[in-house]
Amino acid sequence: MGNASETFLFMSSLSKENDMLMGTIYTIFGVLSLLGNGILLFVAYRKKSSLKPAEFFVVNLAISDLSMTITLFPLAIPSAFAHRWLFNQISCLVYAFCGVLFGLSSLTNLTVLSCVCWLKVCCPNYGNKFSYYHACLLVAGVWCYAGVFAVGPLSGWGQYGSEPYGTACCIDWYAPNHSKVAMSYIVCLFFFCYIIPCTVIFLSYTFILLTVRGSRQAVQQHVSPQNKITNAHALIVKLSVAVCIGFLTAWSPYAIVSMWAAFGSTTNVPPMAFALAAIFAKSSTLYNPIVYLVFKPNFRRSLCRDVAHCRTLCPCLGQHSSTQKVTCSRSRRKEECNATRLSNGLPENHGTCRHCPCPDMGSGSGANCPDYNPQQTARILTGSTQSEVAVSQLSNEVQSDFL
């Protein structure tokens, strides 16, 4: 790494056993994040024509999480197992820049998402006007906002350096102890990228929950649709709250330890505290795909449909899929038969509607029915007496009324 001081800074200050444990945890997190966010983006791509504007932020969050996984974990994992930072100073700067950029973009993205949810639920007259153009504009603003603070240390406002535990890089949290410029950067970072976003998220979901609570009884009494909190809105709010809680839980320990190092004595913060906080922070890449793929119905249905579609590519599963398709088709036709009614309001005879090619498959008759021609019947209500006759025996005028 150059001189002796640089070499010392980039040597691990943890035990080899702890570094091995960190490397193992990072490996597990990296694999899960890669699979989860990759699947989420694949599902979003497959249903891109039906994505709602608010779901753009879900996709953007998956992009930032996946980018963090791709850029950080391949450097952090081998360094942890090697018990030292394996790469050069430029790699350290790139690592730190990507960590700050993608971490802040995720937090800012969640902040904007909470505001959009608040707008849709608490101010539906304005929320219903939220369009794809607005979503794209806000997504671009998220990246610009995060980019300002990520570029700052590269331009002299703040500093990047090694983590106190020695096997990764981030903002130099000890720099404020000897640099006022670095202190100003840390203060702005803590205020604009943690305090304000957390406050906005908390207030947004507090107002949303109060609005939902106040509207619950009105919804049950079937007030006008403009005042209803729809199930779709309620679901997106619940999922957004879950993602935000998970993300803030993951990053709060790192923020607390960082402020401890920046505004306290450098000797009072144990390196292990930074190491544990970093593990929590990197777990943030897992929550978004878990919440949305498991608990959001339309994402889950799209994933199941895509998996079923992929199964048809396997010859051994093709016949099974075809059988399932025929069975489902027959089941739908059977439901249509049972739901069909004649013009007098009475149902037709079971299994004999005109659009059903076969009778009830459960009866065992007509299994091979290419030429099957069922006889349609109709019930005639005369006073309080019902009689059943073949439609073909009725006059042409009456037949046309029925059919």
Side-chain angles (χ1 to χ4, degrees):
M1 290 297 299
N3 57 39
S5 60
E6 284 186 345
T7 303
F8 175 77
L9 286 176
F10 285 87
M11 291 297 295
S12 175
S13 56
L14 304 178
S15 65
K16 290 186 177 181
E17 291 76 13
N18 289 333
D19 275 333
M20 292 290 290
L21 180 60
M22 285 187 62
T24 303
I25 295 175
Y26 283 168
T27 302
I28 296 173
F29 284 176
V31 172
L32 294 179
S33 176
L34 193 64
L35 290 176
N37 288 291
I39 293 173
L40 181 56
L41 290 176
F42 173 74
V43 172
Y45 173 77
R46 293 280 295 175
K47 66 186 294 290
K48 59 181 180 297
S49 59
S50 60
L51 282 177
K52 301 177 180 63
E55 291 176 337
F56 278 27
F57 301 102
V58 178
V59 175
N60 190 46
L61 186 58
I63 291 174
S64 62
D65 288 343
L66 186 62
S67 300
M68 179 180 290
T69 302
I70 294 174
T71 56
L72 267 60
F73 283 84
L75 301 182
I77 292 173
S79 296
F81 283 122
H83 195 52
R84 64 184 179 87
W85 178 253
L86 291 176
F87 308 95
N88 57 23
Q89 183 72 29
I90 300 299
S91 300
C92 179
L93 293 177
V94 173
Y95 182 100
F97 171 81
C98 292
V100 173
L101 176 65
F102 299 131
L104 293 182
S105 66
S106 296
L107 179 58
T108 309
N109 190 82
L110 291 175
T111 306
V112 175
L113 178 59
S114 68
C115 294
V116 172
C117 290
W118 169 81
L119 189 67
K120 284 184 167 292
V121 175
C122 301
C123 306
N125 291 333
Y126 297 99
N128 293 333
K129 298 177 182 179
F130 188 77
S131 64
Y132 295 100
Y133 173 76
H134 298 134
C136 293
L137 198 62
L138 288 175
V139 167
V142 164
W143 287 101
C144 292
Y145 189 86
V148 170
F149 289 93
V151 172
L154 298 179
S155 60
W157 185 38
Q159 296 179 23
Y160 285 139
S162 66
E163 291 273 24
Y165 54 88
T167 57
C169 297
C170 193
I171 296 169
D172 188 351
W173 301 110
Y174 295 141
N177 293 314
H178 52 79
S179 173
K180 292 183 179 180
V181 176
M183 174 65 76
S184 67
Y185 173 79
I186 297 297
V187 170
C188 291
L189 182 71
F190 185 66
F191 183 75
F192 290 103
C193 297
Y194 186 76
I195 296 297
I196 290 182
C198 290
T199 303
V200 171
I201 290 173
F202 176 78
L203 291 178
S204 296
Y205 289 121
T206 299
F207 287 132
I208 288 172
L209 294 177
L210 291 176
T211 302
V212 171
R213 182 179 180 182
S215 303
R216 185 175 300 160
Q217 186 175 359
V219 171
Q220 292 174 351
Q221 295 175 354
H222 304 287
V223 299
S224 60
Q226 289 80 4
N227 296 327
K228 288 186 178 182
I229 304 299
T230 64
N231 291 334
H233 285 171
L235 179 62
I236 193 67
V237 168
K238 291 177 182 178
L239 297 179
S240 301
V241 169
V243 173
C244 288
I245 290 176
F247 187 90
L248 295 178
T249 301
W251 279 98
S252 292
Y254 193 87
I256 293 173
V257 173
S258 301
M259 293 305 103
W260 182 12
F263 298 104
S265 175
T266 58
T267 59
N268 291 335
V269 185
M272 193 62 190
F274 266 103
L276 293 176
I279 290 176
F280 273 97
K282 287 180 172 60
S283 70
S284 65
T285 60
L286 307 177
Y287 303 136
N288 184 44
I290 291 176
V291 170
Y292 279 94
L293 288 176
V294 175
F295 298 107
K296 200 169 193 308
N298 62 342
F299 277 81
R300 190 170 61 248
R301 285 194 299 267
S302 298
L303 178 60
C304 294
R305 184 172 60 248
D306 292 336
V307 170
H309 178 71
C310 291
R311 289 177 60 186
T312 61
L313 300 179
C314 179
C316 60
L317 297 176
Q319 184 177 0
H320 175 69
S321 300
S322 300
T323 304
Q324 281 188 324
K325 184 177 180 180
V326 171
T327 303
C328 293
S329 178
R330 287 173 178 171
S331 176
R332 285 195 298 270
R333 288 199 297 265
K334 182 178 178 181
E335 292 176 359
E336 292 175 357
C337 293
N338 294 334
T340 303
R341 293 181 179 271
L342 295 176
S343 58
N344 62 356
L346 296 174
E348 286 188 337
N349 195 34
H350 295 296
T352 59
C353 58
R354 289 178 299 165
H355 53 266
C356 294
C358 303
D360 187 3
M361 299 305 297
S363 62
S365 61
N368 298 317
C369 53
D371 299 325
Y372 182 76
N373 187 18
Q375 183 181 35
Q376 294 182 315
T377 61
R379 293 188 181 96
I380 305 299
L381 181 63
T382 305
S384 60
T385 306
Q386 291 187 26
S387 59
E388 186 170 331
V389 298
V391 174
S392 59
Q393 296 177 1
L394 300 175
S395 63
N396 293 334
E397 181 178 357
V398 176
Q399 286 188 39
S400 63
D401 289 337
F402 278 114
L403 304 178

